[in-house]
Amino acid sequence: MGDILNDIANCIPALRRYARALTHDRDSADDLVQDALERAIVKRALWRPIGPIRPWLFQILLNLHRNTIRDRKRDVELMPMDALAERIGVPASQAERAVLLETADAMQRLPDEQREALLLVAVEGLSYAEAAKVLDIPVGTLMSRLGRARGALRQMTSENGRPTLKAIK
């Protein structure tokens, strides 16, 4: 039992990052992580050690987040782009900061299913199989969502294949 609790504890930083990306609010993210950890500890007997525990924890967190959204009837509070840039680390130059802000803004405009997939694979580093399991979809569906998300981001953030600097024009 101690090993599973240690494994869960080791996943907390990744859960916090993912929760913050989903909720856009530090306090809401911390509440979501706490709820997910509580659920995981209470239901730890349901976890089958056939792979890493991390995807199982992400699945719990994502399901709780979706339940919260459903309960609030899509009344999501968005984080201002400046606050998001401060939390993820701002590059030194104004041009790089503008591109970062534009990309963050574009990610927020993605449909939830595409943003969730992109965050799990690109930000959290989960494999396609792990991310598909978290989202409870086939790997092919995950790959399609990632392809659509990447294509949409390219369209929203580029002109003639080069990053735009709309924020400083």
Side-chain angles (χ1 to χ4, degrees):
M1 180 173 84
D3 288 341
I4 191 172
L5 294 178
N6 287 335
D7 292 344
I8 290 171
N10 290 335
C11 293
I12 292 173
L15 291 169
R16 290 184 80 199
R17 275 192 311 271
Y18 189 52
R20 284 184 183 163
L22 289 172
T23 64
H24 318 290
D25 177 74
R26 182 176 294 213
D27 293 332
S28 297
D30 288 344
D31 290 344
L32 180 60
V33 170
Q34 183 176 351
D35 292 344
L37 292 172
E38 179 184 3
R39 171 105 20 117
I41 291 168
V42 168
K43 306 250 182 195
R44 68 183 175 262
L46 298 176
W47 181 70
R48 299 291 173 242
I50 55 175
I53 197 167
R54 190 173 169 199
W56 183 66
L57 294 172
F58 276 115
Q59 188 171 29
I60 291 170
L61 186 129
L62 182 59
N63 287 340
L64 287 170
H65 175 67
R66 287 176 175 168
N67 291 343
T68 301
I69 289 174
R70 200 172 12 251
D71 291 345
R72 286 188 296 179
K73 306 228 187 235
R74 299 275 214 198
D75 187 16
V76 179
E77 181 181 329
L78 297 178
M79 176 190 304
M81 285 295 113
D82 288 338
L84 178 64
E86 290 171 11
R87 289 184 182 182
I88 60 177
V90 180
S93 80
Q94 183 176 4
E96 289 172 334
R97 185 173 191 274
V99 171
L100 176 63
L101 288 172
E102 184 178 356
T103 302
D105 180 55
M107 284 186 71
Q108 295 311 314
R109 289 184 281 150
L110 289 172
D112 289 342
E113 65 183 20
Q114 291 177 16
R115 187 174 63 247
E116 290 167 355
L118 190 62
L119 288 170
L120 285 172
V121 173
V123 176
E124 292 305 328
L126 267 61
S127 70
Y128 286 180
E130 290 171 330
K133 185 175 180 182
V134 168
L135 297 170
D136 196 27
I137 58 174
V139 173
T141 302
L142 174 79
M143 293 172 70
S144 294
R145 288 180 185 179
L146 288 171
R148 287 193 306 273
R150 289 172 177 149
L153 283 176
R154 267 192 299 277
Q155 285 220 293
M156 287 188 270
T157 61
S158 67
E159 289 177 321
N160 301 323
R162 303 181 79 176
T164 62
L165 298 177
K166 294 176 191 168
I168 60 172
K169 285 185 180 179

